[in-house]
Amino acid sequence: MTLSYTDARQKVVEVAGTIERPLRREPIEIEPSFGRILAEPVLSDRDYPPFDRSTRDGFAVKAADGSAPGARLECIGELRAGGVFEGALGPGQCIEIMTGASVPRGADAVAMIEHARRDGRMITLDRAVTSGDHIVPRGSEARAGMVLVAARARLGYAEMALAAQAGITRFDVFAPPSVAILSTGDEVVDARMSPGPLQVRNSNGISIEVLARTAGAEPIQLGNAPDEIAILRKKIEVGLDADILVLSGGVSMGKYDLVEQVLADLGAKFHFTGVAIRPGRPAVFATCRNKLVFGLPGNPVSTMVTFELFVLPAIDVSSGAPARPVPIFRAKLATPVREKGDMVHFLPARIEWEGRQACVTQLPWQGSGDVVALALANGFLVIGPERPEVLAGEWVDVLPRRGAL
């Protein structure tokens, strides 16, 4: 039941795709729609651009008149963006034109202003022009009726700008999946409380809520359950009313790690009960009562790593969208790293750029409970078991910390 993190992630995507969750549509105005999943395509209302558009400041010309350097043309007018030129360009004539303006009839090229000299009404072209120079033809970006943004696309600023360009300022999106959040442990108290000498505040509840909300879900806080089967069972049953239940803590091998036992008693089907990563090895994924259930390790760094790897794709699929890939990229290692074992390590790290090259440095940390190190990190250095020792200057994988880069 222990999988590689890539196999575990794929299992989450496959299982989430089998859960029957009605995708409820709801109308929304464009301004608050960022990050939502589009339930209907956005169509182009007309050709874009709607006219032949100049991409430079300069002079609209007939290419045949400017086929050689030194051509002299008579400037008969001016066109700014949004302006109209009545009539058509004749032989030996040109019109001064601004970026974004509609190319006048008779012109088929724009000579850049940097390559022209003016003497009263006469313009001398220092460079030859060819047909189509610095003109975007009508409809070359999109045709009327064309799909600009497909259904099930996630709305980012570019997609929202496209919709606004087409005059679509209200559309249907899918209602976000609900994510119930439950921490566990006798030692955990509310973040607003003063803890006893052997207690800790519930930081996981805060981080999971933020991660769920930024992933596009609607978080539901269930607080904390002590290490008592009856209370834990009752809270888990409440959590199963949500689309996804995320528990933190209670999934290790200790005497009072009760999450798997309670889930089994409730009839859960376990898809994995461990992942070959550190931190995060005890992560659990199950389905129970047609809902997705994640048991994440209770140490905060483990919680955040396993949420990124496994809960995030479940939220994507439950939202009606494809699962986003893990955004791992390559960087050069600044200082050597030594990690033994048969796990993939996700180590808090600092990613910096030297010119255009990413460099990464492992941060000192005190294990998966070290939130201080996590806050200093803007990513994770990913080291596999096949490379127990990595030298400075070698290329390595890094995973950015969500929202930190």
Side-chain angles (χ1 to χ4, degrees):
M1 296 291 283
T2 297
L3 303 178
S4 69
Y5 85 87
T6 53
D7 287 346
R9 181 183 174 85
Q10 184 58 38
K11 177 61 71 174
V12 169
V13 173
E14 290 173 0
V15 172
T18 67
I19 296 297
E20 296 181 4
R21 174 183 177 264
L23 291 173
R24 182 172 57 84
R25 296 161 63 120
E26 57 186 25
I28 193 171
E29 297 291 334
I30 192 170
E31 289 82 2
S33 69
F34 182 82
R36 301 295 296 273
I37 307 302
L38 196 60
E40 59 190 1
V42 170
L43 304 181
S44 181
D45 63 323
R46 57 177 178 166
D47 290 345
Y48 286 99
F51 47 80
D52 293 344
R53 184 180 66 208
S54 174
T55 64
R56 294 287 190 274
D57 293 336
F59 297 91
V61 303
K62 290 179 177 290
D65 291 338
S67 59
R72 286 175 58 80
L73 306 172
E74 180 188 9
C75 184
I76 62 171
E78 176 187 284
L79 257 179
R80 66 181 68 184
V84 177
F85 177 76
E86 302 291 349
L89 204 62
Q93 296 179 331
C94 68
I95 293 176
E96 186 173 7
I97 193 168
M98 314 305 169
T99 300
S102 172
V103 177
R105 285 186 298 115
D108 62 352
V110 171
M112 293 173 59
I113 196 169
E114 295 92 333
H115 304 152
R117 290 174 285 121
R118 185 163 194 161
D119 182 13
R121 290 171 58 89
M122 299 306 296
I123 306 298
T124 302
L125 303 183
D126 293 332
R127 295 188 183 182
V129 296
T130 57
S131 182
D133 280 357
H134 311 304
I135 294 175
V136 178
R138 173 177 177 162
S140 58
E141 296 171 357
R143 289 292 185 183
M146 174 181 169
V147 174
L148 296 177
V149 187
R152 296 181 181 258
R154 187 178 302 278
L155 289 163
Y157 65 85
E159 291 80 5
M160 294 167 68
L162 261 181
Q165 176 177 280
I168 311 299
T169 59
R170 183 179 174 85
F171 33 67
D172 280 359
V173 295
F174 292 126
S178 55
V179 174
I181 302 164
L182 176 62
S183 63
T184 67
D186 289 341
E187 77 281 12
V188 179
V189 299
D190 187 273
R192 294 169 179 78
M193 294 177 59
S194 296
L198 302 179
Q199 293 179 315
V200 294
R201 293 186 178 93
N202 185 8
S203 64
N204 283 346
I206 299 298
S207 64
I208 294 173
E209 177 174 345
V210 173
L211 286 166
R213 194 179 300 281
T214 56
E218 189 64 43
I220 301 169
Q221 282 286 1
L222 301 182
N224 184 73
D227 296 321
E228 298 179 23
I229 287 179
I231 298 176
L232 179 60
R233 179 184 177 115
K234 183 176 180 180
K235 284 186 171 284
I236 286 177
E237 289 187 307
V238 172
L240 290 173
D241 288 336
D243 298 307
I244 301 171
L245 170 60
V246 179
L247 300 105
S248 64
V251 292
S252 296
M253 300 297 291
K255 180 178 180 180
Y256 295 102
D257 291 316
L258 305 174
V259 167
E260 289 179 61
Q261 177 183 334
V262 172
L263 288 173
D265 290 344
L266 290 170
K269 178 181 178 180
F270 293 92
H271 303 284
F272 58 78
T273 54
V275 185
I277 59 174
R278 182 173 290 130
R281 187 183 188 281
V284 170
F285 172 52
T287 45
C288 187
R289 300 180 183 177
N290 202 41
K291 302 299 176 66
L292 303 174
V293 181
F294 294 89
L296 308 183
N299 281 327
V301 183
S302 302
T303 302
M304 297 181 200
V305 168
T306 50
F307 188 102
E308 174 75 30
L309 294 177
F310 310 124
V311 184
L312 180 63
I315 291 174
D316 285 345
V317 175
S318 299
S319 300
R324 285 168 280 191
V326 182
I328 287 177
F329 63 92
R330 303 282 279 173
K332 279 198 172 181
L333 188 62
T335 55
V337 172
R338 295 175 180 84
E339 291 291 344
K340 297 180 179 179
D342 57 354
M343 305 281 182
V344 176
H345 295 264
F346 288 81
L347 307 171
R350 191 73 195 171
I351 304 163
E352 306 287 352
W353 273 262
E354 297 179 359
R356 299 173 66 178
Q357 180 176 289
C359 298
V360 61
T361 305
Q362 180 187 358
L363 295 179
W365 68 314
Q366 305 303 315
S368 58
D370 191 349
V371 185
V372 175
L374 183 65
L376 294 172
N378 61 1
F380 299 94
L381 174 59
V382 184
I383 300 294
E386 72 283 357
R387 301 177 73 185
E389 183 173 353
V390 189
L391 302 179
E394 292 191 58
W395 289 96
V396 292
D397 288 340
V398 291
L399 172 68
R401 177 166 69 82
R402 187 163 297 276
L405 286 182

